[in-house]
Structure formats: structure tokens, C-alpha cells
């Protein structure tokens, strides 16, 4: 299974909203590179949910409940809520970490959907105090 990170503005739709709803259609992505990544998500992939804005931190995990599919014009994917991270991982922590500072999260701050390597994913979980 692949690993991805998706960004959301918590005042618009937060990880707590996803937990409450249990499942949602992840849409609203417009950047061509982010759309390319979104289109590669497959059912069962693990997704890190990252809050943008004032928070700038990874806050929880979700699972792709479907393969990406077209929703009239752009790809979307169904996400099912997973567990919150024991401790959020801030952008500052990501940029300061040797294993994560080369990730798209650190290098391309405007990208809203991005792949994470297995090593990057495991490192983020360790920083959050979570088990794989």
C-alpha cells in the first residue's frame, strides 16, 4: 500500500470533522500536480491528514476507502477516518528532521496532495509517538 499526505484548512474541514463524519469525499483539489498524485490513490492506501493555516501540522491518519475516481471534472477519493496522531507533527519538525526535510511537505509548501515514502511515513509516525 502507498502512503500519501493531504492538506486541509481546519476551519473549512478538519480532521475532527472527518472523525465525526467517519467518511468523506476528498475533493476541492485544483493544483495539477496535486491532482496527479490524488489520481494515484488506491483503496487501502494510508493517508496522513495535515492541517494548514495557523496550525501547519500533521494531525491524524485516514485510509483511502476507494480508488480515486472522476467527479465530473477532477479526480476525488473517498477517505475513511483513522486515528489521530498521539502528538501532532509540525512543519518546523519536518523541516528540521534529516529524514523528512527532503519530503514534498518541506520542499513544496503549496502542494495539497503528495506521496510519502515508506521511510518518511515511518519517521513521521515516530515523531508523533505512534506505532506503525
Amino acid at each position: 500500500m502507498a502512503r500519501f499526505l493531504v492538506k486541509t484548512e481546519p476551519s473549512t474541514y478538519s480532521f475532527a470533522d472527518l472523525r465525526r463524519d467517519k467518511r468523506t469525499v476528498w475533493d476541492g483539489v485544483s493544483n495539477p500536480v496535486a491532482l496527479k498524485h490524488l489520481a494515484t490513490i488506491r483503496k487501502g492506501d494510508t493517508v496522513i491528514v495535515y492541517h494548514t493555516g495557523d496550525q501547519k501540522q500533521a494531525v491524524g491518519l485516514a485510509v483511502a476507502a476507494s480508488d480515486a475516481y472522476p467527479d465530473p471534472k477532477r479526480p476525488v477519493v473517498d477517505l475513511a477516518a483513522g486515528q489521530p496522531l498521539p502528538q501532532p507533527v509540525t512543519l518546523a519538525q519536518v523541516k528540521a528532521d534529516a529524514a523528512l526535510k527532503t519530503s514534498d511537505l518541506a520542499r513544496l509548501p503549496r502542494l495539497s496532495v503528495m506521496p510519502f515514502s515508506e521511510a518518511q511515513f515511518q519517521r513521521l509516525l515516530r515523531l508523533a509517538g505512534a506505532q506503525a
Side-chain angles (χ1 to χ4, degrees):
M1 296 292 152
R3 314 293 190 172
F4 291 88
L5 181 139
V6 297
K7 293 181 178 180
T8 184
E9 173 59 50
S11 63
T12 302
Y13 193 81
S14 69
F15 182 69
D17 293 329
L18 176 59
R19 297 262 301 162
R20 180 197 64 227
D21 297 344
K22 296 185 178 39
R23 185 175 171 142
T24 194
V25 175
W26 203 263
D27 59 4
V29 176
S30 59
N31 176 285
V33 176
L35 285 168
K36 181 181 126 193
H37 294 314
L38 184 69
T40 66
I41 294 177
R42 298 292 173 254
K43 184 176 182 179
D45 287 349
T46 303
V47 178
I48 302 159
V49 178
Y50 179 91
H51 282 174
T52 60
D54 292 339
Q55 293 187 20
K56 293 184 179 68
Q57 59 189 5
V59 295
L61 300 176
V63 175
S66 72
D67 289 352
Y69 58 92
D71 182 42
K73 299 177 184 178
R74 299 178 179 148
V76 298
V77 68
D78 296 338
L79 291 185
Q83 295 299 312
L85 293 174
Q87 296 177 25
V89 178
T90 67
L91 182 58
Q93 287 175 282
V94 168
K95 287 182 174 182
D97 188 85
L100 295 175
K101 68 181 177 184
T102 60
S103 71
D104 285 351
L105 180 58
R107 296 180 323 100
L108 304 168
R110 305 281 301 161
L111 195 59
S112 62
V113 179
M114 62 195 67
F116 250 54
S117 72
E118 185 63 26
Q120 291 168 338
F121 177 74
Q122 294 300 327
R123 180 61 183 152
L124 187 127
L125 288 182
R126 282 193 296 282
L127 288 174
Q131 300 280 340

